[in-house]
Amino acid sequence: MSRERRLLPPYLGTGGSEASASGSLDRLTALRATGLPLPTYHTPIQLRMVELVVDGSLSVIEVAGYLKLPVGASLMIAGQLVNDGHLEASDPVPDALTALRADRPSKAVMEEVLSGLRQLLVA
């Protein structure tokens, strides 16, 4: 089995700058595009992150999965895009966040997951 290897390390997707908003973001923070056009200086990873959330919202951890990036790098990039006004960030559901910090999901979150899985089986 061969694995694809990245030609560039994930931290290069940040463009080499810091993001102060990344400290306020969490893995479960929902991201949505604001619709502002992106200037040409943004990296391809930043452009792709915005493209992923143009038609809806995804959590930071979902975006990280789609981009095949570490969550920390995704938090940094999302923070930059929030600071630049290209992404909006919504706080995660408090119940889900509490369970995440306790290293186990809450009953309510697990019931939502089970409900979603049942709907997939029906479709």
Side-chain angles (χ1 to χ4, degrees):
M1 173 191 338
S2 70
R3 288 178 41 126
E4 261 185 55
R5 184 173 171 174
R6 285 189 172 279
L7 297 177
L8 298 173
Y11 64 83
L12 289 179
T14 66
S17 60
E18 297 179 12
S20 59
S22 66
S24 64
L25 300 180
D26 196 282
R27 295 178 284 180
L28 296 178
T29 299
L31 301 173
R32 281 177 313 287
T34 61
L36 290 177
L38 273 84
T40 56
Y41 62 81
H42 281 80
T43 66
I45 292 175
Q46 290 170 322
L47 295 171
R48 182 69 183 123
M49 183 176 284
V50 172
E51 288 172 358
L52 283 171
V53 295
V54 164
D55 294 326
S57 64
L58 291 172
S59 68
V60 172
I61 200 163
E62 289 172 312
V63 170
Y66 282 118
L67 295 176
K68 298 180 182 176
L69 288 175
V71 176
S74 296
L75 284 166
M76 174 73 79
I77 296 166
Q80 291 171 339
L81 292 168
V82 168
N83 284 344
D84 291 348
H86 299 292
L87 291 181
E88 292 177 352
S90 300
D91 290 333
V93 178
D95 185 42
L97 189 57
T98 301
L100 178 69
R101 291 191 178 130
D103 288 333
R104 62 185 187 131
S106 70
K107 183 179 178 184
V109 170
M110 291 307 294
E111 287 173 354
E112 288 291 325
V113 169
L114 185 57
S115 173
L117 289 172
R118 286 182 182 142
Q119 288 177 3
L120 286 174
L121 286 173
V122 172

